Structures are given as C-alpha cells and as structure tokens.
C-alpha cells in the first residue's frame, strides 16, 4: 500500500514538474490569474477593447458562415440535386465537416498562437476561409464541396477559433469574464446576421455568387479584424518542439477534458432535434423555427451575462451552475413540453446556460492551468470537443430511431440530460480540487 501511494504521489509530482516548464505553473496559477497586475498597462487603453472587437468580428464571420451553409444546402438539395439521394446525403457532410474543423484543429492552433503569433495565425485562417468559400463557388459535385467548404474552410475556421476565443482574456483582470463573453457572443450574432443575408443572396443571385460575395467580405473584414488580434506578451522562448505533454499527466487536466467531452457530446443535439420534437407535439414548423431562433438569441445573451457573472461569483462556480441548469432543462422541461409556451421556456432555459458554457470553458482553463498557457490548453480542450460532438450526435439519433421512441424523444432527452449531469460532476470535482471553501468566489 505504501508503494502504491508513493507511486501516485510521484505521478502527481511529475505532472506538476512538466506543467512548470511553461510560464504558468500549477502552483503559480493564483499569481497568473491575479487581478492586481494589469497585463496591458504599457499599452494605450483602447488596445484591449480593439482586441475584443477584432476577435468578435472573426468569430462572427467564421461561425456565422457555417450557420449560413444550412440555407445554401437546403437550396441545393431542393433545386440542384433534387432526386439525387446520394448527392443530398453527401451535402449533409459539408456542414458537419465545417463544424468539426472549428474544433479539431484547436490543439494545433492554440499552440501555434502561443509560440508563433496570434495575429499571423488568424491571417492564415482568414485566407483559408476565403479560399474555401471561393473554391466552393466553382464546385459542381457535392464531394467537391466537402473538400472546399468542409476541409479548406474548416481548417481556416479552426485556426482562428482558439486564438480569438482566448486572446481577450490575456488583456483583462477584473473584467476577464465579460470580455470573453462579448467575444464569443460573436458566434451567435454572426449566425443571426449572416444566415438571413445568405438567404437573400441565394434567392437573388444563386448559391455560387452568394459564396463568392461571402468569400470577399470574409477576406476584407477578416483581415481588418486580424490587425487588432494580439496579446500583451508573446513568449518567444517557447517553440513547437517543447509542447507541454506533461498536461496529460495531470489529474485535474484529465477531469476537465472529460467534462468538455461530455458537454460537447450533448450541446448541439437539442438545437438539431428540438424543432422536430416540437412539430411532433403539434407545433407548426414555422413556430418551431422561431422558437429555435429564440433559443439561439438566448444563447448569445447567455454568453455575455454568464461571463459577467463569472467576474463576481467566480468562473468555476458559474460553470457548475450552467452545467446543472442545462441538465435540468433536458431532464425535466424537455419531456414535459406539450405546447408553445413550454417550448419557449425550454428554448430559453437551455439556450442561455448552454451558451454560457462557451464563455466559461476558456476562462475555466485559465483559472485551473494559468492564463499564459490559455491558448494551447483551451486548444486541447477544443480538439476534445470535436471528438465529443462527432460521437454524441449519432448516438442521439440512434436512440431516437430505436423501438418505441419516435414519438416522445424520451430516450434522447434523458441521454442529453445525463451527459450534462456527468459534466457537472466533473466540474464539481475540479472546483473542490481548486478550493474546498464552498462559498468562496473561484
């Protein structure tokens, strides 16, 4: 027994020593997150706000274009590939690949941002997004769209997402949560703006020209926004050769990675299947579309408000609240939905906290592992997110089409609620590992 205890202690010490190779160490995290040292004091005051605007715009462009693909996909399926079941099925993979690309490249993007340049990496990402849209406008076959939009655009989106999600936090101390919340709200705002714009363009000039116009406003607005993306201190001593593999030996890191996995396995499923569920309960498809739009607006608001709350009650405390509320909404409200009123409550009750998670995820990584390693640490978690999202949705679909579950979606709602509940348990474990003081703001 003594030997086992000794080995366990040795493993933990090894993990801490490996983490200590970087600028932020496990034992120095409190100092790294200190609210007494302004990281931007040597810069003009407007610089930090310009960083938020630049990151917000890039997030809106990258993720809003993915949301808009649904409009283009619907038009192509109805007017170009009508009757071609194979082509329509292949079109379905395009959006999946774009969404998957945003997260799967997180590990690479986060590390490159830290050891090379946030700004230059975002420039490359914007150029790839431009190229993906431009190439997509000349595609004649669905598999070509998978390559242009799914692979090229997905890579570009993946290269910009992690740096723009984490750069604002490097500029703030007391308002770090609010700054991050405003930035990641760009995802929702981009969808609300670009999707209707794309619908207008598709109806007036067709899909190819809608992609070309999109490509050029991504290029112009994206490159302007890239100019403002930077961090106060770029550590030039770190290289691609000394990647922090020691993080994977840290128990707190593993628990956080599991939490991220369970959240992302659950997150997108309600947004995909709730409209279908509501229609099965007698709600019109038009009303269901409006309610899911309300859920998306609630998600955007949740990203900002949750970030603001984190500045007052603590990041880890706020994270636990968002996870348990998301779980309750799926376990209790979803199964009880019988009409429009309860459906609206579900949309708001799920959209708000689940959106807030995306603000708190990078902030929690900074709280637990240090802000100076924020991009690479968060990037690893984004890559984990891609795996969770890739596996979670097919399982949910399989449960929906199982015997006896087509009408009430009960198995799906319990499955999603359980995933959120397990993620909550993981968050509690890390919260208590950080501080066992229950009423402390952490």
């Amino acid at each position: 027994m003594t030997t086992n205890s000794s080995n366990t202690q040795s493993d933990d010490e090894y993990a801490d020593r490996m983490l200590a190779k970087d600028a932020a160490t496990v034992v120095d995290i409190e100092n790294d997150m200190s609210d007494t040292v302004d990281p931007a004091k040597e810069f003009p005051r407007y610089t930090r706000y310009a960083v938020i605007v630049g990151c917000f715009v890039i997030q809106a462009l990258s993720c809003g274009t993915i949301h808009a693909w649904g409009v283009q996909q619907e038009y192509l399926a109805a007017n170009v590939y009508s009757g071609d079941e194979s082509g329509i099925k292949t079109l379905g993979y395009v959006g999946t690949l774009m969404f998957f690309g945003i997260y799967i490249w997180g590990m690479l993007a986060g590390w490159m941002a830290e050891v090379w340049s946030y700004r230059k990496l975002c420039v490359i990402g914007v150029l790839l997004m431009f190229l993906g849209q431009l190439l997509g406008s000349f595609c004649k076959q669905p598999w070509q769209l998978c390559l242009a939009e799914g692979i090229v655009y997905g890579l570009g989106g993946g290269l910009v997402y992690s740096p723009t999600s984490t750069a604002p936090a490097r500029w703030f101390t007391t308002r770090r949560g609010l700054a991050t919340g405003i930035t990641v709200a760009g995802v929702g705002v981009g969808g609300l703006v670009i999707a209707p714009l794309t619908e207008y363009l598709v109806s007036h000039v067709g899909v190819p020209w809608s992609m070309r116009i999109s490509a050029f406003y991504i290029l112009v607005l994206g490159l302007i926004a890239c100019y403002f993306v930077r961090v106060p201190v770029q550590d030039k001593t770190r290289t691609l050769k000394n990647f922090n593999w020691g993080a994977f030996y840290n128990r707190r890191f593993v628990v956080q990675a599991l939490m991220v996995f369970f959240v992302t396995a659950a997150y997108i499923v309600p947004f995909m299947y709730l409209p279908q569920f509501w229609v099965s309960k007698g709600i019109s498809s038009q009303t269901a579309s409006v309610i899911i739009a309300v859920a998306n607006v609630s998600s955007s608001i949740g990203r900002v408000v949750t970030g603001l709350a984190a500045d007052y009650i603590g990041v880890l405390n706020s994270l636990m609240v968002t996870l348990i509320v998301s779980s309750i909404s799926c376990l209790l409200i979803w199964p009880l939905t019988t009409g429009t009123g309860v459906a609206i409550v579900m949309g708001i009750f799920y959209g708000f906290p689940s959106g807030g998670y995306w603000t708190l995820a990078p902030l929690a990584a900074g709280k637990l592992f240090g802000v100076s390693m924020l991009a690479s640490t968060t990037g690893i978690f984004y890559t984990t997110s891609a795996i969770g999202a890739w596996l979670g949705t097919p399982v949910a679909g399989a449960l929906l089409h199982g015997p006896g579950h087509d009408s009430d979606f009960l198995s799906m709602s319990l499955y999603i609620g359980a995933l959120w509940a397990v993620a909550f348990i993981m968050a509690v474990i890390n919260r208590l590992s950080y501080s066992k003081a229950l009423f402390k703001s952490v």
Side-chain angles (χ1 to χ4, degrees), residues 62-63 66-67 69 93-105 149-151 153-155 157-158 161 187 264-265 267-269 272 358 382 385-390 393:
S62 60
C63 296
I66 296 176
H67 292 164
W69 162 250
Y93 292 123
V94 176
T96 301
L97 288 170
M98 295 170 78
F99 179 74
F100 188 69
I102 287 286
Y103 299 111
I104 195 63
W105 300 108
E149 298 281 357
I151 303 300
Y153 184 92
L155 173 59
Y161 189 74
V187 174
T264 49
Y267 170 75
I268 198 65
V269 174
M272 294 177 64
W358 295 102
Y382 284 149
S385 297
I387 300 172
W390 189 266
T393 304

Side-chain angles (χ1 to χ4, degrees), residues 211-389:
M211 289 183 175
R212 289 167 198 149
I213 294 171
S214 171
F216 283 100
Y217 69 63
I218 286 174
L219 180 67
V220 175
L221 297 177
L223 290 180
I224 293 173
C226 285
Y227 177 78
F228 300 102
V229 179
R230 59 182 301 182
V231 290
V233 179
Q234 189 83 46
D235 187 356
K236 299 298 184 180
T237 65
R238 299 165 68 185
T239 67
L240 291 173
K241 294 181 179 179
N242 61 1
F243 182 82
N244 183 31
W245 296 106
F248 293 97
Y249 291 89
N250 182 269
R251 291 179 178 178
R252 185 184 286 173
F253 188 92
V254 172
V255 169
Q256 193 72 2
L258 288 172
M259 182 207 74
V260 169
F261 174 85
F262 288 116
V263 167
T264 49
Y267 170 75
I268 198 65
V269 174
F271 288 102
M272 294 177 64
Y273 285 100
L274 276 175
Q276 182 181 344
F277 168 72
W278 291 330
V279 170
S280 74
K281 294 297 182 180
I283 298 173
S284 70
S285 58
Q286 293 82 1
T287 302
S289 297
V290 171
I291 298 174
I292 206 66
V294 170
N296 280 301
V297 172
S298 177
S299 177
S300 297
I301 296 173
R303 293 168 191 252
V304 178
V305 175
T306 305
L308 180 61
D311 289 329
Y312 291 93
I313 67 173
V315 174
L316 303 183
N317 293 336
S318 299
L319 181 61
M320 290 191 301
V321 172
T322 60
L323 297 179
I324 193 61
V325 173
S326 297
S327 177
I328 291 172
S329 68
C330 294
L331 292 175
L332 297 182
I333 302 179
W334 185 347
L336 297 177
T337 301
T338 56
T340 302
V342 182
I344 294 174
V345 172
M346 173 62 192
I348 296 173
F349 211 68
Y350 182 78
F352 190 95
S354 65
Y357 162 81
W358 295 102
T359 297
L360 299 172
L363 293 174
K367 188 73 174 178
L368 293 168
F369 310 107
V371 171
S372 60
M373 295 191 298
L374 186 56
S376 60
T377 304
T378 303
I380 295 172
F381 292 143
Y382 284 149
T383 298
T384 305
S385 297
I387 300 172

Side-chain angles (χ1 to χ4, degrees), residues 158-219:
L159 292 182
V160 302
Y161 189 74
S162 181
T164 55
S165 296
T166 57
R170 298 285 299 272
W171 289 88
F172 289 84
T173 53
T174 57
R175 291 293 178 265
R176 185 174 285 138
L178 180 60
T180 303
I182 293 173
T183 301
V184 299
V187 174
V189 173
L192 292 172
V193 174
I194 295 177
L197 173 62
T198 301
E199 188 170 7
Y200 174 83
L201 291 174
V202 167
S203 63
H204 284 77
V205 298
V207 172
W209 271 105
S210 73
M211 289 183 175
R212 289 167 198 149
I213 294 171
S214 171
F216 283 100
Y217 69 63
I218 286 174
L219 180 67

